[in-house]
Amino acid sequence: LISRKADTEFVFDVDLALAQTDENPVYYVQYAHARICSVLAQSKSQGGPGDDDVVHALAAAVASAQGPGALLAPLALPREFALAARLAQFPELVRQACDELAPHAIAFYLKDLASDLHSYYNAERFLVDDPALRLARLALLVATRQVLRNGLALIGVSAPERM
């Protein structure tokens, strides 16, 4: 229901709501969150940085004189920049959605963010041998996961770690 503007006609499709495919926008966004959780768990199981390690590295980078730019410097692909740019839009989008009483804007944003994540996931490897690139990509995933989690919470939808 939240994925439509309040002033538009809405026909509830039960089959779509129950579908576990990318045609169901809720499933599509939740799956993006679960995918990120899976990559982080896989990294940790391979002896690489896990969820907590990446969060600590991000916090340390933010607190350092160099800022997070040094940690994220290895990111150079267009999909990485597109994903980071989409993440940067979130605070302003939430403010606008609140001001305009437009929760559908958050739902639209989350679907676009999930699309960016799925595109990136399908095109690139995250668990690469280069430790700096691996950490940078995992940091981008952690940031994406947090925005997905926050956005889903705003519209009252769970953010499962497995699907």
Side-chain angles (χ1 to χ4, degrees):
L1 292 174
I2 204 163
S3 68
R4 301 284 186 254
K5 293 181 181 181
D7 60 352
T8 60
E9 185 176 316
F10 181 73
V11 176
F12 187 75
D13 184 343
V14 174
D15 293 330
L16 178 61
L18 296 174
Q20 293 186 349
T21 68
D22 60 359
E23 292 178 20
N24 177 337
V26 173
Y27 180 84
Y28 188 70
V29 174
Q30 287 178 318
Y31 187 59
H33 182 272
R35 266 188 157 173
I36 293 169
C37 293
S38 175
V39 170
L40 291 166
Q42 187 178 6
S43 176
K44 186 170 185 156
S45 74
Q46 293 177 358
D51 189 11
D52 291 338
D53 302 318
V54 176
V55 170
H56 290 310
L58 276 168
V62 169
S64 77
Q66 296 175 349
L71 175 69
L72 302 175
L75 300 179
L77 300 174
R79 282 187 176 89
E80 293 165 336
F81 289 127
L83 188 55
R86 179 88 60 196
L87 294 174
Q89 296 170 354
F90 186 65
E92 178 60 22
L93 177 101
V94 170
R95 188 196 62 71
Q96 271 186 327
C98 289
D99 289 348
E100 298 170 11
L101 302 175
H104 66 277
I106 295 172
F108 292 164
Y109 170 85
L110 290 174
K111 188 163 189 239
D112 291 342
L113 178 59
S115 177
D116 290 346
L117 181 275
H118 290 303
S119 174
Y120 182 39
Y121 180 92
N122 291 329
E124 302 301 329
R125 289 183 43 236
F126 301 104
L127 307 181
V128 295
D129 292 334
D130 178 350
L133 180 58
R134 176 186 258 208
L135 185 59
R137 286 183 173 172
L138 292 177
L140 183 58
L141 290 183
V142 165
T144 303
R145 181 187 63 178
Q146 189 62 53
V147 170
L148 287 168
R149 186 179 291 163
N150 292 350
L152 287 167
L154 285 172
I155 60 173
V157 176
S158 67
E161 293 186 10
R162 292 181 187 196
M163 293 183 75

